[in-house]
Amino acid sequence: MYSKDPPKRLLLALRKLRGKRCIITFHSLADLDACASAIVLSQMLGGNAIVAMQDRVNSQCKKLIDSKLLGKIVKFADAKKKYAKAPVILLDCNEKQLLPSLGEEKVRILMDHHEIGRAAWRER
């Protein structure tokens, strides 16, 4: 869902997912803001939210993951096997080509601080 005024719609959508199974993912070769925001959101949503990387993470993100203080990040394909029908939340990504593992998977919520990408996102 894309909105120039997202807070009410976003909060409602996130409240509906609280405590439920969902997959939180971000762009390929993830940086610290992608990883950290996904981990924080997963903690907000509760124990059934899983954080999944598309492929690899950068060195800063790896240090964060290795600290073992903030949870674990799995590969997107493994998350889809575990939670096959779970809704997907996408963070920090405005271009579909930065999501090699996503395929035709629908994105339930897209949160990003970049300008909206190509028209493909507008149809979601």
Side-chain angles (χ1 to χ4, degrees), residues 61-90:
C61 188
K62 185 156 177 29
K63 286 179 187 175
L64 179 68
I65 296 167
D66 290 345
S67 72
K68 297 182 183 175
L69 296 174
L70 297 173
K72 163 177 152 174
I73 296 178
V74 301
K75 292 189 177 189
F76 188 80
D78 295 337
K80 283 307 294 177
K81 285 178 190 170
K82 184 173 182 178
Y83 292 169
K85 297 185 184 228
V88 175
I89 299 172
L90 176 60

Side-chain angles (χ1 to χ4, degrees), residues 24-27 30-39 51 61 91-92:
I24 303 168
T25 193
F26 36 76
H27 59 81
D31 52 12
L32 191 56
D33 68 318
C35 291
S37 58
I39 291 168
V51 178
C61 188
L91 304 177
D92 196 41

